[in-house]
Protein backbone atom coordinates (compact mmCIF):
# COMPACT_ATOMS: atom_id res chain seq x y z
CA UNK A 1 0.00 0.00 0.00
CA UNK A 2 1.29 3.43 -0.86
CA UNK A 3 0.18 6.40 1.25
CA UNK A 4 -0.35 9.86 -0.14
CA UNK A 5 1.55 11.32 2.81
CA UNK A 6 4.06 10.13 5.33
CA UNK A 7 3.95 12.58 8.24
CA UNK A 8 7.07 12.50 10.37
CA UNK A 9 6.21 13.71 13.86
CA UNK A 10 2.92 13.34 15.74
CA UNK A 11 3.06 16.80 17.32
CA UNK A 12 0.69 19.69 16.73
CA UNK A 13 1.95 20.51 13.22
CA UNK A 14 1.80 16.91 12.02
CA UNK A 15 -1.63 16.36 13.59
CA UNK A 16 -3.16 19.46 11.96
CA UNK A 17 -1.77 18.43 8.60
CA UNK A 18 -2.98 14.84 9.05
CA UNK A 19 -6.47 16.01 9.96
CA UNK A 20 -6.67 18.26 6.91
CA UNK A 21 -5.32 15.56 4.61
CA UNK A 22 -7.78 12.96 5.93
CA UNK A 23 -10.61 15.42 5.41
CA UNK A 24 -9.58 15.72 1.78
CA UNK A 25 -9.61 11.96 1.38
CA UNK A 26 -5.83 11.52 1.39
CA UNK A 27 -4.27 8.49 3.01
CA UNK A 28 -1.63 9.27 5.63
CA UNK A 29 0.74 7.47 7.90
CA UNK A 30 1.95 9.42 10.93
CA UNK A 31 5.13 8.22 12.60
CA UNK A 32 6.99 9.44 15.65
CA UNK A 33 10.21 8.31 17.22
CA UNK A 34 8.79 8.72 20.70
CA UNK A 35 6.33 6.22 22.14
CA UNK A 36 3.51 8.76 22.42
CA UNK A 37 1.66 11.24 20.25
CA UNK A 38 1.42 15.02 20.82
CA UNK A 39 5.13 15.92 20.72
CA UNK A 40 6.10 18.43 23.37
CA UNK A 41 2.51 19.36 24.19
CA UNK A 42 2.01 15.80 25.46
CA UNK A 43 0.10 15.63 28.74
CA UNK A 44 -0.10 12.58 30.94
CA UNK A 45 -2.67 11.95 33.65
CA UNK A 46 -1.15 11.45 37.10
CA UNK A 47 -3.44 11.27 40.17
CA UNK A 48 -6.27 12.65 38.03
CA UNK A 49 -4.19 15.68 37.04
CA UNK A 50 -3.09 16.46 33.46
CA UNK A 51 0.67 16.84 33.75
CA UNK A 52 2.45 18.83 31.03
CA UNK A 53 5.43 16.47 30.76
CA UNK A 54 7.53 18.68 28.48
CA UNK A 55 6.69 22.01 30.03
CA UNK A 56 3.59 24.11 30.50
CA UNK A 57 1.61 24.97 27.40
CA UNK A 58 -1.11 27.58 27.56
CA UNK A 59 -3.04 28.07 24.39
CA UNK A 60 -3.57 31.68 23.35
CA UNK A 61 -4.35 33.43 20.10
CA UNK A 62 -5.93 36.54 18.68
CA UNK A 63 -6.87 34.78 15.48
CA UNK A 64 -10.54 33.83 15.63
CA UNK A 65 -10.16 31.40 12.75
CA UNK A 66 -7.51 29.44 14.69
CA UNK A 67 -9.47 29.60 17.93
CA UNK A 68 -12.58 28.20 16.20
CA UNK A 69 -10.45 25.57 14.53
CA UNK A 70 -8.81 24.25 17.71
CA UNK A 71 -12.15 24.24 19.52
CA UNK A 72 -13.31 21.50 17.16
CA UNK A 73 -10.97 19.11 18.91
CA UNK A 74 -11.35 20.06 22.56
CA UNK A 75 -13.37 22.21 24.86
CA UNK A 76 -11.16 24.87 26.40
CA UNK A 77 -11.44 26.03 29.99
CA UNK A 78 -11.16 29.68 30.99
CA UNK A 79 -7.67 29.51 32.50
CA UNK A 80 -5.82 32.82 32.25
CA UNK A 81 -2.09 32.64 32.75
CA UNK A 82 -0.94 34.95 35.57
CA UNK A 83 2.48 33.77 36.74
CA UNK A 84 4.16 34.98 39.90
CA UNK A 85 7.87 35.74 40.16
CA UNK A 86 10.02 35.19 43.23
CA UNK A 87 13.21 37.20 43.65
CA UNK A 88 14.98 36.53 46.94
CA UNK A 89 12.14 36.99 49.44
CA UNK A 90 10.10 39.27 47.24
CA UNK A 91 7.01 38.13 45.35
CA UNK A 92 5.89 39.93 42.17
CA UNK A 93 3.11 39.62 39.64
CA UNK A 94 3.92 39.02 36.00
CA UNK A 95 3.84 40.17 33.28
CA UNK A 96 5.27 43.60 34.02
CA UNK A 97 2.26 45.67 35.03
CA UNK A 98 1.07 48.07 37.74
CA UNK A 99 0.93 45.25 40.33
CA UNK A 100 4.62 44.60 39.67
CA UNK A 101 5.58 48.27 39.78
CA UNK A 102 3.49 49.01 42.83
CA UNK A 103 5.26 46.24 44.76
CA UNK A 104 8.68 47.21 43.40
CA UNK A 105 8.50 50.93 44.23
CA UNK A 106 5.59 51.26 46.64
CA UNK A 107 3.62 53.47 44.26
CA UNK A 108 0.04 53.46 43.00
CA UNK A 109 -0.32 55.55 39.86
CA UNK A 110 0.77 54.74 36.29
CA UNK A 111 2.38 58.14 35.90
CA UNK A 112 4.65 57.45 38.91
CA UNK A 113 5.78 54.14 37.38
CA UNK A 114 6.43 55.77 34.02
CA UNK A 115 8.50 58.48 35.65
CA UNK A 116 10.62 56.00 37.61
CA UNK A 117 11.30 53.93 34.48
CA UNK A 118 12.04 57.03 32.42
CA UNK A 119 14.50 58.17 35.12
CA UNK A 120 16.27 54.80 35.04
CA UNK A 121 16.69 54.71 31.29
CA UNK A 122 17.41 58.38 30.63
CA UNK A 123 21.17 57.93 30.74
CA UNK A 124 21.27 54.76 28.66
CA UNK A 125 20.75 56.39 25.26
CA UNK A 126 19.34 53.27 23.65
CA UNK A 127 17.61 54.17 20.43
CA UNK A 128 17.49 50.89 18.54
CA UNK A 129 17.90 47.96 21.01
CA UNK A 130 20.52 45.60 19.62
CA UNK A 131 20.06 42.74 22.05
CA UNK A 132 17.83 41.44 24.82
CA UNK A 133 19.49 43.49 27.56
CA UNK A 134 19.04 46.76 25.70
CA UNK A 135 15.50 45.84 24.76
CA UNK A 136 14.58 44.99 28.36
CA UNK A 137 16.31 48.01 29.90
CA UNK A 138 14.71 50.41 27.46
CA UNK A 139 11.26 49.03 28.25
CA UNK A 140 11.27 48.55 32.03
CA UNK A 141 14.41 50.16 33.41
CA UNK A 142 17.15 48.94 35.68
CA UNK A 143 15.25 47.57 38.73
CA UNK A 144 12.84 45.31 36.87
CA UNK A 145 15.60 44.17 34.54
CA UNK A 146 17.95 43.26 37.39
CA UNK A 147 15.37 41.54 39.61
CA UNK A 148 12.99 39.90 37.17
CA UNK A 149 14.70 39.51 33.81
CA UNK A 150 18.49 39.19 33.88
CA UNK A 151 18.88 36.13 36.13
CA UNK A 152 15.90 34.29 34.70
CA UNK A 153 16.89 34.87 31.10
CA UNK A 154 20.56 34.01 31.58
CA UNK A 155 19.78 30.72 33.25
CA UNK A 156 17.02 29.95 30.75
CA UNK A 157 19.27 30.50 27.73
CA UNK A 158 22.70 29.85 29.23
CA UNK A 159 23.96 33.04 27.63
CA UNK A 160 24.56 36.65 28.55
CA UNK A 161 21.54 38.90 27.88
CA UNK A 162 23.73 40.95 25.56
CA UNK A 163 24.20 37.93 23.32
CA UNK A 164 20.51 37.15 23.00
CA UNK A 165 18.10 38.49 20.37
CA UNK A 166 15.71 41.23 21.51
CA UNK A 167 12.63 39.45 20.13
CA UNK A 168 12.61 36.90 22.98
CA UNK A 169 11.58 39.53 25.50
CA UNK A 170 9.08 41.14 23.15
CA UNK A 171 6.87 38.12 23.88
CA UNK A 172 6.11 39.60 27.28
CA UNK A 173 3.51 42.34 27.59
CA UNK A 174 4.30 45.55 29.45
CA UNK A 175 1.33 47.52 30.66
CA UNK A 176 0.51 50.34 33.00
CA UNK A 177 -2.78 48.86 34.19
CA UNK A 178 -3.43 46.42 37.04
CA UNK A 179 -3.78 43.44 34.74
CA UNK A 180 -1.90 40.18 35.44
CA UNK A 181 -2.92 38.39 32.25
CA UNK A 182 0.36 37.12 30.77
CA UNK A 183 -0.94 37.33 27.21
CA UNK A 184 -2.47 40.14 25.22
CA UNK A 185 -4.44 37.72 23.09
CA UNK A 186 -8.22 37.72 22.72
CA UNK A 187 -8.61 33.96 23.32
CA UNK A 188 -6.91 31.78 25.92
CA UNK A 189 -7.34 28.48 27.76
CA UNK A 190 -6.30 24.89 28.38
CA UNK A 191 -8.04 21.97 26.65
CA UNK A 192 -10.22 20.13 29.15
CA UNK A 193 -8.96 16.55 29.33
CA UNK A 194 -5.45 17.50 28.21
CA UNK A 195 -3.51 18.14 25.02
CA UNK A 196 -2.93 14.46 24.30
CA UNK A 197 -6.68 13.85 23.99
CA UNK A 198 -6.93 16.86 21.68
CA UNK A 199 -4.19 15.54 19.37
CA UNK A 200 -5.75 12.09 19.51
CA UNK A 201 -8.98 13.54 18.19
CA UNK A 202 -7.10 15.23 15.33
CA UNK A 203 -5.50 11.91 14.44
CA UNK A 204 -8.72 9.90 14.78
CA UNK A 205 -8.84 8.96 11.09
CA UNK A 206 -5.13 8.53 10.55
CA UNK A 207 -2.89 5.54 10.93
CA UNK A 208 -0.15 6.08 13.53
CA UNK A 209 3.05 4.17 14.21
CA UNK A 210 5.08 5.09 17.26
CA UNK A 211 8.67 4.38 18.21
CA UNK A 212 9.96 4.69 14.63
CA UNK A 213 12.90 6.92 13.80
CA UNK A 214 12.34 8.18 10.27
CA UNK A 215 15.96 8.95 9.50
CA UNK A 216 17.07 5.48 10.51
CA UNK A 217 14.63 3.91 8.04
CA UNK A 218 14.44 6.66 5.48
CA UNK A 219 14.65 4.49 2.35
CA UNK A 220 11.89 2.02 3.26
CA UNK A 221 9.65 4.74 4.64
CA UNK A 222 10.04 7.01 1.62
CA UNK A 223 9.06 4.12 -0.60
CA UNK A 224 5.75 3.93 1.26
CA UNK A 225 4.45 7.41 0.43
CA UNK A 226 4.17 9.91 -2.39
CA UNK A 227 5.14 12.85 -0.24
CA UNK A 228 6.67 13.48 3.17
CA UNK A 229 5.78 16.11 5.76
CA UNK A 230 8.86 16.29 7.97
CA UNK A 231 8.59 18.00 11.36
CA UNK A 232 11.85 16.75 12.85
CA UNK A 233 15.16 18.57 13.16
CA UNK A 234 16.10 20.01 9.79
CA UNK A 235 19.88 19.72 10.36
CA UNK A 236 19.62 16.05 11.26
CA UNK A 237 17.68 15.40 8.05
CA UNK A 238 20.67 16.69 6.08
CA UNK A 239 23.14 14.81 8.20
CA UNK A 240 24.44 18.06 9.76
CA UNK A 241 26.27 18.94 6.51
CA UNK A 242 25.96 22.69 7.19
CA UNK A 243 26.67 22.43 10.92
CA UNK A 244 24.69 21.57 14.04
CA UNK A 245 21.83 23.87 15.06
CA UNK A 246 21.84 24.66 18.77
CA UNK A 247 18.88 24.22 21.10
CA UNK A 248 18.15 24.97 24.68
CA UNK A 249 16.91 22.05 26.67
CA UNK A 250 14.81 21.91 29.80
CA UNK A 251 14.77 19.07 32.27
CA UNK A 252 11.85 18.48 34.60
CA UNK A 253 11.75 17.02 38.06
CA UNK A 254 8.17 15.95 38.57
CA UNK A 255 6.98 15.29 42.10
CA UNK A 256 3.65 14.09 43.51
CA UNK A 257 2.95 15.79 46.83
CA UNK A 258 0.55 14.74 49.52
CA UNK A 259 -1.09 18.13 49.81
CA UNK A 260 -3.90 19.69 47.84
CA UNK A 261 -2.25 23.03 47.10
CA UNK A 262 1.51 23.61 47.12
CA UNK A 263 2.10 27.09 45.74
CA UNK A 264 -1.35 28.53 45.02
CA UNK A 265 -0.65 29.24 41.36
CA UNK A 266 0.07 27.22 38.22
CA UNK A 267 3.33 29.02 37.42
CA UNK A 268 5.87 30.54 39.80
CA UNK A 269 9.11 31.84 38.25
CA UNK A 270 12.36 31.97 40.22
CA UNK A 271 14.19 34.88 38.71
CA UNK A 272 17.41 34.72 40.73
CA UNK A 273 20.48 33.33 39.02
CA UNK A 274 21.37 31.22 42.07
CA UNK A 275 18.18 29.16 42.21
CA UNK A 276 18.96 26.35 39.75
CA UNK A 277 15.45 26.03 38.30
CA UNK A 278 13.59 28.74 36.37
CA UNK A 279 10.08 27.87 37.47
CA UNK A 280 7.84 25.52 39.39
CA UNK A 281 4.67 24.42 37.65
CA UNK A 282 1.76 23.13 39.72
CA UNK A 283 -0.31 21.42 37.06
CA UNK A 284 -3.69 21.14 38.77
CA UNK A 285 -4.11 24.92 38.78
CA UNK A 286 -4.23 24.92 34.97
CA UNK A 287 -7.54 23.09 35.28
CA UNK A 288 -8.81 24.31 38.67
CA UNK A 289 -8.22 20.80 40.04
CA UNK A 290 -9.78 19.74 43.33
CA UNK A 291 -7.75 16.52 43.85
CA UNK A 292 -6.30 15.72 47.26
CA UNK A 293 -2.79 15.43 45.85
CA UNK A 294 -0.83 17.75 43.67
CA UNK A 295 1.89 17.33 41.03
CA UNK A 296 4.65 19.91 40.72
CA UNK A 297 7.48 20.16 38.20
CA UNK A 298 10.69 22.03 38.72
CA UNK A 299 12.07 23.23 35.39
CA UNK A 300 15.86 23.18 34.98
CA UNK A 301 17.26 24.70 31.80
CA UNK A 302 20.37 23.06 30.43
CA UNK A 303 22.67 22.73 27.45
CA UNK A 304 21.38 20.48 24.74
CA UNK A 305 23.49 17.66 23.30
CA UNK A 306 22.94 15.76 20.09
CA UNK A 307 20.60 12.83 20.63
CA UNK A 308 18.65 14.56 23.40
CA UNK A 309 15.14 15.99 22.99
CA UNK A 310 15.43 19.52 21.59
CA UNK A 311 13.18 22.23 23.05
CA UNK A 312 13.91 25.85 22.24
CA UNK A 313 15.62 26.87 18.99
CA UNK A 314 18.28 29.49 19.73
CA UNK A 315 17.58 32.05 17.02
CA UNK A 316 20.81 34.02 17.26
CA UNK A 317 22.81 35.17 14.23
CA UNK A 318 24.99 32.11 13.94
CA UNK A 319 22.12 29.62 14.15
CA UNK A 320 19.87 31.62 11.87
CA UNK A 321 22.61 31.63 9.24
CA UNK A 322 23.08 27.86 9.56
CA UNK A 323 19.31 27.39 9.32
CA UNK A 324 19.22 29.54 6.19
CA UNK A 325 21.69 27.16 4.52
CA UNK A 326 19.45 24.21 5.41
CA UNK A 327 16.37 26.05 4.19
CA UNK A 328 17.98 26.36 0.78
CA UNK A 329 18.71 22.64 0.73
CA UNK A 330 15.16 21.91 1.88
CA UNK A 331 13.71 23.92 -1.00
CA UNK A 332 15.42 21.51 -3.39
CA UNK A 333 13.80 18.43 -1.83
CA UNK A 334 10.90 18.10 -4.19
CA UNK A 335 8.81 15.58 -2.27
CA UNK A 336 9.38 16.79 1.26
CA UNK A 337 7.84 19.69 3.17
CA UNK A 338 9.67 20.86 6.32
CA UNK A 339 7.45 22.29 9.03
CA UNK A 340 6.99 23.15 12.68
CA UNK A 341 9.35 24.23 15.45
CA UNK A 342 12.13 21.81 14.51
CA UNK A 343 11.57 21.71 10.74
CA UNK A 344 11.62 25.51 10.50
CA UNK A 345 13.87 26.16 13.51
CA UNK A 346 11.49 28.74 14.97
CA UNK A 347 10.44 29.62 18.53
CA UNK A 348 6.78 29.07 17.66
CA UNK A 349 3.69 29.51 19.82
CA UNK A 350 1.02 26.86 19.30
CA UNK A 351 -1.36 29.10 17.38
CA UNK A 352 1.40 29.98 14.92
CA UNK A 353 2.18 26.30 14.42
CA UNK A 354 -1.47 25.65 13.56
CA UNK A 355 -1.54 28.66 11.24
CA UNK A 356 1.53 27.43 9.35
CA UNK A 357 0.26 23.84 9.12
CA UNK A 358 -3.08 25.06 7.73
CA UNK A 359 -1.32 27.26 5.18
CA UNK A 360 0.81 24.37 3.99
CA UNK A 361 -2.17 22.00 3.97
CA UNK A 362 -4.11 24.41 1.80
CA UNK A 363 -1.24 24.65 -0.67
CA UNK A 364 -0.55 20.91 -0.67
CA UNK A 365 -4.08 19.59 -0.76
CA UNK A 366 -5.61 21.76 -3.48
N1 LIG B 1 11.33 36.27 31.10
C1 LIG B 1 11.97 36.91 32.13
N2 LIG B 1 11.52 36.76 33.40
C2 LIG B 1 10.43 36.00 33.69
C3 LIG B 1 9.76 35.37 32.62
C4 LIG B 1 10.25 35.51 31.35
O1 LIG B 1 12.96 37.59 31.92
O2 LIG B 1 10.06 35.90 34.86
C5 LIG B 1 11.88 36.43 29.74
C6 LIG B 1 12.97 35.42 29.43
O3 LIG B 1 13.92 36.04 28.60
C7 LIG B 1 12.22 34.36 28.66
C8 LIG B 1 11.24 35.18 27.86
O4 LIG B 1 10.88 36.24 28.75
O5 LIG B 1 13.07 33.60 27.83
C9 LIG B 1 10.00 34.45 27.40
O6 LIG B 1 9.37 33.86 28.51
P1 LIG B 1 8.11 32.92 28.35
O7 LIG B 1 7.68 32.55 29.72
O8 LIG B 1 7.13 33.57 27.43
O9 LIG B 1 8.76 31.69 27.58
P2 LIG B 1 8.32 30.17 27.44
O10 LIG B 1 7.07 29.98 28.23
O11 LIG B 1 8.18 29.97 25.96
O12 LIG B 1 9.48 29.43 28.00
Amino acid sequence: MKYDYLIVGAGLYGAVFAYEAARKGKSCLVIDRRDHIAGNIYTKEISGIQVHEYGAHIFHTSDKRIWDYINRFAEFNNYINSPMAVYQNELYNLPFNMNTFSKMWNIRMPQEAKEIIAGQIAGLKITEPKNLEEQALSLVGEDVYRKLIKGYTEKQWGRDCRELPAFIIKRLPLRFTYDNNYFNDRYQGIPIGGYTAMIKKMLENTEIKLGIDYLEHRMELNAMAERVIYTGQIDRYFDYCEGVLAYRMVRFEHEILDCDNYQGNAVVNYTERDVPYTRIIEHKHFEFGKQQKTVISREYPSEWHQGEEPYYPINDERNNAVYEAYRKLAAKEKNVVFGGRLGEYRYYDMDKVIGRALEVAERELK
Side-chain angles (χ1 to χ4, degrees):
M1 143 121 200
K2 191 140 179 164
Y3 296 94
D4 293 314
Y5 287 96
L6 171 70
I7 300 168
V8 181
L12 186 55
Y13 188 102
V16 169
F17 188 91
Y19 177 80
E20 291 303 311
R23 227 162 50 93
K24 294 272 166 66
K26 304 288 182 194
S27 59
C28 299
L29 173 64
V30 174
I31 60 169
D32 202 294
R33 71 172 165 164
R34 289 188 247 185
D35 63 2
H36 61 73
I37 59 167
N40 276 11
I41 62 173
Y42 174 70
T43 48
K44 180 179 176 181
E45 190 173 313
I46 300 175
S47 296
I49 299 163
Q50 292 297 329
V51 174
H52 299 219
E53 287 264 318
Y54 300 91
H57 284 81
I58 299 121
F59 193 86
H60 56 98
T61 188
S62 289
D63 188 331
K64 182 161 189 328
R65 190 181 58 108
I66 288 183
W67 180 243
D68 290 342
Y69 185 81
I70 199 71
N71 273 270
R72 292 186 205 168
F73 309 102
E75 188 184 339
F76 279 70
N77 70 16
N78 60 340
Y79 176 79
I80 301 265
N81 198 32
S82 315
M84 303 297 300
V86 177
Y87 177 80
Q88 293 176 351
N89 281 326
E90 300 163 17
L91 184 69
Y92 294 98
N93 286 106
L94 290 177
F96 311 122
N97 73 88
M98 282 309 295
N99 289 302
T100 327
F101 306 140
S102 158
K103 181 84 183 270
M104 183 89 46
W105 301 311
N106 195 23
I107 50 145
R108 255 189 323 129
M109 306 306 258
Q111 194 51 33
E112 296 173 274
K114 286 183 183 169
E115 279 165 18
I116 293 174
I117 293 174
Q120 294 190 355
I121 63 186
L124 300 173
K125 307 237 172 347
I126 299 167
T127 43
E128 184 68 27
K130 286 190 293 298
N131 53 49
L132 194 149
E133 175 167 293
E134 292 190 2
Q135 178 72 46
L137 279 171
S138 62
L139 286 174
V140 293
E142 182 72 31
D143 290 344
V144 176
Y145 174 66
R146 193 171 38 82
K147 290 188 172 180
L148 300 181
I149 299 177
K150 188 174 161 55
Y152 185 96
T153 301
E154 292 186 345
K155 64 185 169 180
Q156 165 77 359
W157 296 96
R159 283 160 174 69
D160 194 284
C161 284
R162 282 165 297 202
E163 287 165 25
L164 284 164
F167 84 86
I168 292 177
I169 201 83
K170 286 191 196 146
R171 294 165 57 81
L172 302 194
L174 161 68
R175 38 178 111 89
F176 293 90
T177 52
Y178 287 90
D179 176 1
N180 295 325
N181 185 347
Y182 199 62
F183 302 112
N184 278 328
D185 285 321
R186 173 79 176 78
Y187 309 101
Q188 183 173 172
I190 302 274
I192 296 168
Y195 285 97
T196 308
M198 181 184 94
I199 296 288
K200 196 168 166 203
K201 184 115 194 257
M202 290 178 162
L203 294 175
E204 207 165 55
N205 298 314
T206 304
E207 204 176 319
I208 308 166
K209 287 203 171 106
L210 298 173
I212 299 183
D213 190 323
Y214 169 71
L215 295 178
E216 279 174 16
H217 306 278
R218 191 188 310 222
M219 299 280 266
E220 308 105 90
L221 289 165
N222 283 350
M224 287 168 70
E226 298 289 343
R227 289 179 65 69
V228 175
I229 306 294
Y230 178 83
T231 72
Q233 290 162 253
I234 191 167
D235 56 348
R236 186 165 172 248
Y237 180 97
F238 292 106
D239 218 8
Y240 306 104
C241 65
E242 301 284 350
V244 177
L245 288 167
Y247 292 89
R248 197 68 185 147
M249 200 179 108
V250 270
R251 186 172 59 77
F252 296 94
E253 274 176 13
H254 305 292
E255 205 180 328
I256 305 175
L257 302 178
D258 232 341
C259 71
D260 68 338
N261 183 9
Y262 170 71
Q263 63 182 13
N265 205 36
V267 184
V268 178
N269 291 3
Y270 288 79
T271 58
E272 260 165 87
R273 194 79 184 78
D274 292 344
V275 177
Y277 41 87
T278 44
R279 45 191 168 192
I280 300 182
I281 304 299
E282 186 169 10
H283 301 269
K284 70 189 310 178
H285 298 310
F286 285 126
E287 43 188 23
F288 317 109
K290 299 277 180 291
Q291 300 84 354
Q292 290 189 340
K293 294 190 182 209
T294 194
V295 181
I296 61 163
S297 305
R298 289 189 181 78
E299 185 170 329
Y300 295 84
S302 67
E303 266 322 308
W304 168 85
H305 305 99
Q306 255 168 285
E308 291 174 330
E309 212 51 72
Y311 284 75
Y312 296 86
I314 302 178
N315 291 107
D316 59 13
E317 258 173 54
R318 182 258 166 201
N319 287 299
N320 285 344
V322 173
Y323 168 69
E324 199 41 39
Y326 285 121
R327 202 185 55 77
K328 288 192 180 124
L329 289 177
K332 291 189 201 139
E333 293 285 287
K334 286 288 163 262
N335 288 324
V336 186
V337 177
F338 295 78
R341 172 180 55 102
L342 304 176
E344 296 172 65
Y345 196 67
R346 288 275 300 271
Y347 185 6
Y348 265 141
D349 282 336
M350 289 180 280
D351 63 327
K352 300 294 181 301
V353 170
I354 295 170
R356 283 291 288 154
L358 286 175
E359 227 176 274
V360 168
E362 202 170 315
R363 198 178 68 212
E364 274 286 320
L365 304 165
K366 287 202 282 270

